Amino acid sequence: MRMYEPERGRFDWDSDEMRTLYRILDICRELHAEVFLTQIVAGRGVECISGRGPSGQRSEIGAGFAVGVGALLEHLVKDRGYTSIRWFCMTNEPGMGWGWWNGRTATPPR
């Protein structure tokens, strides 16, 4: 989230990382490729799904995270016209029990 929301509620749509993402999405649009957009790490201080965040802090998913992701998707699809984005995954490797969103003691599903 730091690449587009360096502080909660303050969005930077012109960061180096966002400009790189735009170039990638431009290529996908030109090739008519459907996009599965994945956010790998939410970053420090951002609410996570359960238990503990990436740095071990206790937290819950909250409106701040949802608002940030919603703003990103609205910007990409509505404002920039990247309608090739078909899916969004809020974290890399979803469904794995060992992820930061499951807390430190979680184990992979069987």
Side-chain angles (χ1 to χ4, degrees):
M1 290 183 73
R2 288 183 299 250
M3 69 185 270
Y4 61 88
E5 189 179 9
E7 296 174 23
R8 180 168 299 176
R10 184 176 70 79
F11 300 96
D12 181 0
W13 305 125
D14 196 40
S15 68
D16 289 341
E17 295 93 344
M18 288 301 296
R19 287 192 307 265
T20 298
L21 178 59
Y22 300 149
R23 287 192 301 270
I24 293 167
L25 291 172
D26 286 341
I27 292 168
C28 292
R29 180 169 36 203
E30 289 172 21
L31 297 174
H32 304 284
E34 293 182 337
V35 175
F36 185 99
L37 186 64
T38 302
Q39 179 170 298
I40 295 177
V41 176
R44 292 178 289 109
V46 176
E47 300 93 352
C48 62
I49 287 180
S50 68
R52 299 193 181 277
S55 60
Q57 78 274 14
R58 184 91 181 135
S59 60
E60 300 289 331
I61 195 163
F65 181 80
V67 167
V69 169
L72 171 67
L73 293 172
E74 181 173 23
H75 173 72
L76 293 174
V77 176
K78 289 186 175 180
D79 300 341
R80 305 266 324 183
Y82 294 121
T83 57
S84 58
I85 297 172
R86 299 285 187 222
W87 306 275
F88 175 79
C89 181
M90 61 183 256
T91 189
N92 191 32
E93 300 174 354
M96 300 303 293
W98 47 261
W100 60 264
W101 54 90
N102 290 314
R104 292 183 176 190
T105 60
T107 56
R110 302 227 185 266

